[in-house]
Amino acid sequence: MREALFLLADLWMIFVGYFYGWRFIRRYGNYLLGLELMVVATSGSNFLLWSLLSGDSGSPMYAIAYFFDAFSRSVGITLILIMGLMQVTHRYKPSVGVDVGVFGVAIVAGLFLRPFHGADLHTGGIAFWVAVFYVVVNLLTAVFLGYFVKRLWDAGAKWPAIWTGLVTAAATTIAITYDFFPLPFDDASRTIFYTAALATWGTQGFVYFRAYRALHERNAALDANPARATETLA
């Protein structure tokens, strides 16, 4: 039963990543969010294949899995997410150079931070501070997402605001639990934790797409009616 739930959670995250990643690109031209969701989906696909085919920690897919993990935890679902959402909160339009540059930074971060996954945090050293870094950047991202929730609420998108707040709180809980608070009732493979994490990360993409769409439509409506925009800002 645990394994079946794990597979369903992973398949959910893969579907959301590819489907909504493509929709971000095709509908809104948002390559930051679109490509990052596809990175998450690719990570889930690799993790799924690794789990089904071998589960061997010596497999290249195991190393690739933790590269993707470091990629998204450090820069992807932090800086890239914020920059992508700023396209509807601040009408930010990054250049192609910025898009390429920030993904380049994420790749370098993923390569540098990947080897520290699974290291003993109790011995101190850089592995401990890498784990702290992941939590700090997640919390800073959560602050921005709190602002994003307020923008949704002020725009009248009450349910997207509520769901965004809830899924962000869940993701922050996952981030804090990841390295520092392993579940005492979990198995050696951390099946319960990873099932919750994959389900949460997939739901993030699903909810954030709808929240983004709500603010995008709000901006479009204000652009089509400048008088209303002036009245709203007054």
Side-chain angles (χ1 to χ4, degrees):
M1 183 63 178
R2 286 187 178 185
E3 289 75 13
L5 290 175
F6 166 79
L7 292 175
L8 285 173
D10 199 10
L11 288 171
W12 163 245
M13 188 183 76
I14 292 168
F15 165 75
V16 169
Y18 285 130
F19 182 75
Y20 289 104
W22 174 242
R23 293 188 76 183
F24 266 122
I25 293 171
R26 184 174 182 180
R27 180 174 293 187
Y28 303 114
N30 194 320
Y31 285 88
L32 291 173
L33 294 180
L35 291 177
E36 174 53 28
L37 283 184
M38 290 184 178
V39 167
V40 171
T42 303
S43 174
S45 300
N46 176 75
F47 197 38
L48 180 64
L49 289 174
W50 173 77
S51 301
L52 293 175
L53 296 179
S54 68
D56 180 10
S57 60
S59 167
M61 287 188 289
Y62 184 82
I64 292 170
Y66 289 117
F67 161 74
F68 281 125
D69 184 75
F71 179 106
S72 289
R73 291 177 73 194
S74 62
V75 179
I77 305 298
T78 55
L79 178 61
I80 291 175
L81 175 62
I82 290 172
M83 291 174 65
L85 292 177
M86 284 177 65
Q87 294 191 36
V88 287
T89 60
H90 294 76
R91 298 179 185 263
Y92 171 62
K93 300 293 183 183
S95 65
V96 174
V98 170
D99 285 349
V100 172
V102 74
F103 276 100
V105 170
I107 290 170
V108 171
L111 291 172
F112 175 74
L113 297 172
R114 183 200 62 79
F116 301 107
H117 179 87
D120 186 359
L121 303 184
H122 300 290
T123 60
I126 192 169
F128 173 81
W129 292 110
V130 167
V132 170
F133 167 74
Y134 285 144
V135 173
V136 169
V137 293
N138 183 276
L139 292 174
L140 291 174
T141 304
V143 171
F144 176 85
L145 287 166
Y147 164 77
F148 185 62
V149 167
K150 183 179 185 302
R151 288 292 301 270
L152 287 165
W153 190 271
D154 291 344
K158 301 294 195 277
W159 280 111
I162 291 169
W163 284 113
T164 298
L166 290 174
V167 78
T168 298
T172 299
T173 301
I174 292 294
I176 295 172
T177 305
Y178 199 119
D179 291 309
F180 292 103
F181 302 103
L183 304 177
F185 50 82
D186 210 346
D187 57 34
S189 299
R190 304 188 72 186
T191 305
I192 295 175
F193 171 79
Y194 282 118
T195 299
L198 294 169
T200 299
W201 296 333
T203 304
Q204 273 187 288
F206 176 79
V207 169
Y208 292 166
F209 176 83
R210 280 161 169 70
Y212 184 99
R213 181 177 64 185
L215 274 189
H216 177 85
E217 291 175 353
R218 172 68 169 176
N219 289 342
L222 292 178
D223 289 344
N225 191 344
R228 184 182 174 191
T230 303
E231 179 181 312
T232 302
L233 295 172

